[in-house]
Amino acid sequence: MATETKPTTALKGGEFLIKETEAQSIFIPEQWNEEQKMIAQSCADFLTQEVYPNIEKIDAQEPGLIVKLLNKAADLGLLGLSVPEQYGGFEKDFVTGMLATEVLGAGYSFAVAISAHTGIGTLPILYYGNEAQKKKYIPKLASGEWKACYCLTEPSAGSDANSGKTKAILSADGKHYILNGQKMWITNGGFADVFTVFAKIDNDENLSAFIVEKSFGGITLNPEEHKMGIKGSSTRQVFFNDCKVPVENLLSDRQNGFKIAVNILNLGRVKLGAAAIGAAKQVATKAIQYANERNQFGRPISKYGAIRYKLAEQAIRIYAVEAAVYRASQNIEDAIIALEAGGMEKGKAMLKGVEQFAPEAAILKVAGSEALDYVVDEGVQIYGGMGYSADAPMDRAYRDSRINRIFEGTNEINRMLTVDMMLKRAMKGELDLMGPATKIAGELMSIPDLGGEDTTLFSAEKKYLKNFKKAVLMVAGSAAQKLMMELSKEQEVLMNIADMLIDLYVSESVQLRVEKLVSMHGEKNCQEQIDIMRVYLNDAADRIHKNGKEAINSYSSGDEQRMMLMGLKRFTKTEPFNAKDARRRVAAKLISENKYCY
Amino acid sequence: MKFLVCISQVPDTTTKITFTPDKKAFNAQGVQFIINPYDEIALTRALELKEALGGTVTVINVGQTNTEPNLRKALAIGADDAIRVNAEPTDAYFVAFQIAEVAKKNSYDIILTGKESIDYNGGQVPTMLGEFLGLPSVSVATKLDVNGSVATLEREIDGGKEILEAKLPFVAGAQKGMAEPRIPNMRGIMTARTKPLAVVEPAACEMLSSSAQFDLPAAKGECKMIDPNNVGELVNLLHTEAKVI
């Protein structure tokens, strides 16, 4: 129900690199239906009425407040949005869930609390629990009667999550697992009733997951952590001292915990991309309003080009990443529907669908969190001295944003994962990277195809995107070939390739979004969106060139190096384009509307 | 108890107001419309009373098909059914006349409106409705309670408040304070689609007024600073330039 569009070319995860996508096949946010808009409005109204007026108290961790707010959100049904009806939820589709996540993403610490509860708190049980477990826990989590948290990270096991030391030992009577260990950075830890805990049974190689109720006993909490941002979100260390967990509370199979953790994180990454966009839109709106109000040298600062550049660039990055978030979300939704149609059970189909698009999920996590960080950073700058005041709104936004590049897998881990997953799929034969890469190697030897003069709208950008793909394939292919097994140790090169992939995916997404939008509303009503797309693609071309060059120069030399550099230059070539004027037009509309309006 | 709540839609409060090139109409292109906030207060109070006393809440709007999303939002908030009179709401007289025609065919116990709509701010519909229906009408009410067949209403007056009693049926216009608007919950949103939304054609009605032209207020001019010791110049400028004295 999320869309009237049926995909004509169902791409699999990662295939964006080697195949073309039809604009009509993607979902764009301009297609929200009435019910989805109403849900989004309810989420926004909730923030306005309940969260923002209390934001200082939330950040001061007024006892009981965040729990009270979660309960109010539960009354509206927001905790059960994506939960099946049979377990007391509303069973909304994936894309609608992303929309709610986006809007609530503007809720500062509250956003973290609610997404930890509905995401990593609820989903492991929903997707991996057996019927009895789901019946016991999910309705209470969807209604908010119980709050949930997720205990994976340990003091010495962060990015390397599977190295955790928490132990589970079967009791002598075989009725309980006895949990011992220490977990860290546990969001909602201070008030959670249900903990999904990862631990190794005996001397297992891999983690297992357990559903632990606080009432089981043997759980102690450290005081609240002192954090840079999201100060209102409860973050605790959790200690398990001979915590007795009934054997029936083992979640999924023994040693399946790491897989659960990875899959839940995949989902969390897409959601983080959406939440970052919601937060960024709000900050952009505040920055625009401040720029319109603040007078210097007798004029509002929004009249100055230096500020207009920032306002435009905030919007450009938001709009582009938003295009990618919903393109991927709809891809995932379609994959889930297809898997379900093939007879797979809903929860499994959900995980499998997200897993198929795990490279895109990692891309969205990085792109979303970094777009938000840009937006808050320039937000502070636009506010000038007031931006640095803890009594003005940018302070909180700036501090709260920073965690997004760290949690749900650091952006570095996610960049490496993006490349790693694509290459692994290529090696397994699931993703044909080598065919197209070899073709490009051949193309490097031949005379460049200058092509005919095509001056239709989007023809230039479509050509750029085709070339971006060639650039990424050339660099990724040659790096894999040259470095072989050493590639995983050349993390700088992996970062370069990941950045190229991210730029490609987001560029293509914004191009497709604007193309579809123009087909809906006509070119003259989409001028600013066309400008947004052009600025983004022009900048992306330069970034792709820089990253490609760095990579090539690190592992090749001589003729081969020269040839690849020339190819790279050809693949990232753009026509002259006046980005200054385009940004001015993008900013003019923001300034006139006095809010983020794209 | 049967409630009728009149719902109009108004531009979202952050809308930048512009007019069509001929200046004869508000330019609605790209504008997001919301339920008039005072109407939402009226609707919420009706729902609260319904929950306490039993009955049904019907919402009514005079408008084209583009008002239906807001009628469905009213259903999502909790109204039982909706009626749309299929006509452009040209002025308060026309709107009140059309609502009265519908109300005459159904015996509502309480008819609520907002005290005014926040677009044209006419504030005339509640009193006109009372006149058309021959019912008592209380405008700008901050409180409404019902006890049996009598309602108690409060109005703010200079330096105090006025407490009124009215026998059912009656008409009232809601002011801030009567209720706190509710956020539509998921259950409400999902059931809104299944609730009845009837479309009725307008009754014949004389057009008493029409908008001739719209103009935006003149842009704020430059601020002129005058030396406090130079009162003569100030008086002169107020007289010759600002022409206020």
Side-chain angles (χ1 to χ4, degrees), chain A residues 1 34-35 38-39 41-43 45-47 49-50 75-78 81 85 88-92 289 298 525 592-593 595, chain B residues 12 14-16 29-30 32 34 40 68-70 72-74 76 180-190 192-193 222:
Chain A
M1 74 152 312
E34 189 181 307
E35 187 181 286
M38 234 190 260
I39 293 170
Q41 191 59 51
S42 282
C43 293
D45 288 348
F46 182 78
L47 295 183
Q49 287 182 27
E50 304 288 349
D75 290 344
L76 288 181
L78 300 181
L81 206 65
E85 282 180 29
F90 297 96
E91 209 162 337
K92 291 321 263 177
Q289 289 168 352
N525 294 315
S592 137
E593 296 280 331
K595 62 184 174 197
Chain B
D12 177 24
T14 61
T15 306
K16 194 174 167 233
Q29 209 187 2
Q32 191 180 344
I34 58 168
E40 210 172 326
E68 287 189 3
N70 275 320
R72 275 190 289 272
K73 181 165 183 194
E180 275 301 312
R182 291 177 181 179
I183 301 171
N185 62 33
M186 285 301 301
R187 176 104 29 231
I189 291 171
M190 289 175 73
R193 276 176 296 166
E222 288 281 302

Side-chain angles (χ1 to χ4, degrees), chain A residues 329-349:
Chain A
S329 298
Q330 185 65 47
N331 284 154
I332 292 167
E333 169 109 57
D334 292 338
I336 296 166
I337 292 169
L339 289 164
E340 269 189 283
M344 197 179 273
E345 185 252 321
K346 195 176 178 69
K348 288 205 169 54

Side-chain angles (χ1 to χ4, degrees), chain A residues 21-28 462 511-513 515-516:
Chain A
T21 300
E22 294 272 336
Q24 291 306 321
S25 76
I26 70 160
F27 175 80
I28 64 172
K462 282 184 172 298
Q511 189 276 319
L512 293 168
R513 177 180 184 180
E515 187 178 344
K516 185 166 191 183

Side-chain angles (χ1 to χ4, degrees), chain A residues 263-310:
Chain A
N263 279 329
I264 295 298
L265 281 174
N266 281 336
L267 197 57
R269 284 169 188 152
V270 188
K271 289 181 79 167
L272 191 144
I277 291 308
K281 283 181 183 175
Q282 183 190 228
V283 172
T285 288
K286 287 209 164 91
I288 294 158
Q289 289 168 352
Y290 186 80
N292 277 338
E293 282 161 22
R294 170 73 175 164
N295 284 293
Q296 282 295 280
F297 306 104
R299 300 196 300 168
I301 61 170
S302 62
K303 297 256 185 218
Y304 297 108
I307 299 294
R308 287 181 177 204
Y309 176 98
K310 296 180 195 300

Side-chain angles (χ1 to χ4, degrees), chain A residues 37 59 132 139 192 244 269 362 375 407 431 447 455 457 484 585:
Chain A
K37 285 183 193 163
D59 271 8
K244 277 173 77 177
R269 284 169 188 152
V375 170
F407 61 17
L431 183 67
I447 301 155
T455 53
L457 186 63
M484 311 271 274
R585 288 188 293 266

Side-chain angles (χ1 to χ4, degrees), chain A residues 206-410:
Chain A
N206 290 307
L207 295 168
S208 300
F210 302 86
I211 307 169
V212 180
E213 294 176 33
K214 195 170 193 180
S215 60
F216 291 167
I219 298 176
T220 48
L221 306 172
N222 258 11
E224 289 291 338
E225 302 285 352
H226 296 124
K227 304 188 295 287
M228 175 190 284
I230 56 164
K231 287 173 184 284
S233 148
S234 169
T235 312
R236 302 271 195 140
Q237 285 199 47
V238 180
F239 297 88
F240 299 92
N241 301 310
D242 291 335
C243 171
K244 277 173 77 177
V245 182
V247 284
E248 59 267 25
N249 275 33
L250 173 67
L251 185 61
S252 181
D253 297 329
R254 181 170 175 169
Q255 296 214 61
N256 209 24
F258 188 62
K259 186 157 192 203
I260 296 176
V262 167
N263 279 329
I264 295 298
L265 281 174
N266 281 336
L267 197 57
R269 284 169 188 152
V270 188
K271 289 181 79 167
L272 191 144
I277 291 308
K281 283 181 183 175
Q282 183 190 228
V283 172
T285 288
K286 287 209 164 91
I288 294 158
Q289 289 168 352
Y290 186 80
N292 277 338
E293 282 161 22
R294 170 73 175 164
N295 284 293
Q296 282 295 280
F297 306 104
R299 300 196 300 168
I301 61 170
S302 62
K303 297 256 185 218
Y304 297 108
I307 299 294
R308 287 181 177 204
Y309 176 98
K310 296 180 195 300
L311 296 176
E313 198 54 32
Q314 287 180 324
I316 289 164
R317 295 188 192 203
I318 292 170
Y319 192 83
V321 178
E322 186 188 32
V325 165
Y326 290 108
R327 174 192 183 191
S329 298
Q330 185 65 47
N331 284 154
I332 292 167
E333 169 109 57
D334 292 338
I336 296 166
I337 292 169
L339 289 164
E340 269 189 283
M344 197 179 273
E345 185 252 321
K346 195 176 178 69
K348 288 205 169 54
M350 176 77 144
L351 289 170
K352 195 80 198 153
V354 177
E355 195 185 345
Q356 281 185 9
F357 288 89
E360 283 85 347
I363 287 173
L364 296 176
K365 195 272 170 177
V366 176
S369 59
E370 293 185 1
L372 174 60
D373 244 10
Y374 174 85
V375 170
V376 296
D377 186 69
E378 290 291 37
V380 171
Q381 199 66 17
I382 292 163
Y383 265 66
M386 283 309 283
Y388 206 65
S389 161
D391 295 324
M394 284 303 143
D395 162 70
R396 177 177 290 107
Y398 185 82
R399 287 183 289 98
D400 284 5
S401 165
R402 194 61 183 79
I403 187 62
N404 289 292
R405 282 166 53 198
I406 299 167
F407 61 17
E408 305 277 355
T410 65

